[in-house]
């Protein structure tokens, strides 16, 4: 469904006026003109501009048909749907609750300087992941773009996980899901995205949000090509060696190169190609406001490279860092 600023859409429960593009041509901020179930003035309208987006939108709509997901306080609420003229069986637009900003929009020093915020985000995401574990599904896309926050400067900030278009049954595919920076070791190894992989992604999300530097992912890559090997090498540099991948020649070659990149020197200046130390060292050397030791311990507990030893969401919620929730 094509959207444009100024357009008024009628959903099953209310009417909405599109005010501002938030993401491309498919996500808009809207004014709620009428809907007795929405208390606030704003909503988010999400449509689809490409075939992949249409598939994800349809999947997201169906996922919200699961009562436990639709009513979970840690997942962004789906308020309404707008019918598509092209497809009478699926909505052309989803109407979500308005959240003030996504986690990506929060500056690193602000995230470090607000001791409540990492706890609020962690508790919300882990609580959502705990539900997904119960339902035997995986989010596959936990990252700074899909965690939403409201009342960030208030006494009780609210965080929720959203964007369920990639939520799939656990174990349903061995394909490499997740974004490159947040991809878990077992996904790189070819084992598929699991509950433990979502937990890993939260750990990466927290670490990336604390630091202004690209700790994970390929954004600082200084060689041509070999994006996957670079990402794997950075995990090795930050958190130690990984198990070998499944018996797949391209994967084996990526891991072999990654092990070399992790220790390789730059021939131009004698420094390492991939700079920096361990994850703890990188987070400890950040300027004020500093990262608390308890938060460092918590992040390290999520980023265990052996997925079989990584905590579940339920176990992570019992970590002392979150038990001291204030």
């Amino acid at each position: 469904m094509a959207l444009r600023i100024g357009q008024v859409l009628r959903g099953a429960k209310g009417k909405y006026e599109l005010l501002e593009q938030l993401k491309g041509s498919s996500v808009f901020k809207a004014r709620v003109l009428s809907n007795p179930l929405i208390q606030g003035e704003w909503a988010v309208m999400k449509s689809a501009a490409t075939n992949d987006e249409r598939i994800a939108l349809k999947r997201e709509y169906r996922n919200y048909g699961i009562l436990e997901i639709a009513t979970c306080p840690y997942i962004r609420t789906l308020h309404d749907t707008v019918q598509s003229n092209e497809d009478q069986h699926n909505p052309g637009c989803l109407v979500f609750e308005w959240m003030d900003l996504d986690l990506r929009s929060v500056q690193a020093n602000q995230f470090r300087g607000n001791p409540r915020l990492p706890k609020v985000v962690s508790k919300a995401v882990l609580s959502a992941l705990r539900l997904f574990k119960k339902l035997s599904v995986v989010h596959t896309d936990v990252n700074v773009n899909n965690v939403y926050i409201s009342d960030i400067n208030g006494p009780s900030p609210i965080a929720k996980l959203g964007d369920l278009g990639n939520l799939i049954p656990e174990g349903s595919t061995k394909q490499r899901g997740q974004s490159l920076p947040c991809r878990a070791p077992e996904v790189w190894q070819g084992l598929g995205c699991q509950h433990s992989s979502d937990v890993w992604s939260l750990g990466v999300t927290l670490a990336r949000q604390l630091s202004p530097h690209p700790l994970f992912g390929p954004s600082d890559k200084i060689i041509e090509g070999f994006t996957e090997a670079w990402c794997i090498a950075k995990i090795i540099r930050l958190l130690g060696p990984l198990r070998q991948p499944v018996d797949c020649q391209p994967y084996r070659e990526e891991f072999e190169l990654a092990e070399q990149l992790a220790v390789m020197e730059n021939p131009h200046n004698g420094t390492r190609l991939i700079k920096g130390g361990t994850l703890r060292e990188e987070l400890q050397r950040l300027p004020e406001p500093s990262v608390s030791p308890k938060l460092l311990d918590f992040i390290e507990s999520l980023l265990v490279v052996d997925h079989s030893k990584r905590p579940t969401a339920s176990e992570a919620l019992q970590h002392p860092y979150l038990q001291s929730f204030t």
Side-chain angles (χ1 to χ4, degrees), residues 13 16 32 35 37-40 42-44 64 76-81 94-98:
K13 302 173 183 176
Y16 315 91
V32 180
N35 186 327
L37 300 179
I38 300 179
Q39 296 180 352
W42 317 112
V44 172
Y64 274 95
R76 184 171 64 166
T77 302
L78 175 63
H79 283 311
D80 200 357
T81 59
L94 303 180
V95 184
F96 290 102
E97 73 172 303
W98 175 258

Side-chain angles (χ1 to χ4, degrees), residues 179-231:
S179 62
L180 291 177
C182 294
R183 186 172 291 170
E186 63 274 12
V187 181
W188 284 115
Q189 291 160 350
L191 300 177
C193 193
Q194 308 168 35
H195 173 73
S196 58
S197 313
D198 281 341
V199 173
W200 171 278
S201 290
L202 172 61
V204 172
T205 296
L206 293 171
R208 292 180 69 202
Q209 197 59 34
L210 290 166
S211 174
H213 310 299
L215 298 178
F216 294 85
S219 62
D220 61 345
K221 184 167 67 73
I222 59 174
I223 60 174
E224 185 175 351
F226 306 112
T227 299
E228 292 79 5
W230 184 272
C231 293

Side-chain angles (χ1 to χ4, degrees), residues 118-135:
K119 292 184 180 183
V120 168
V121 168
S122 299
K123 181 179 179 181
V125 174
L126 288 171
S127 296
L129 296 183
R130 178 174 58 186
L131 171 61
F132 296 155
K133 174 67 173 176
K134 175 185 174 183
L135 298 174

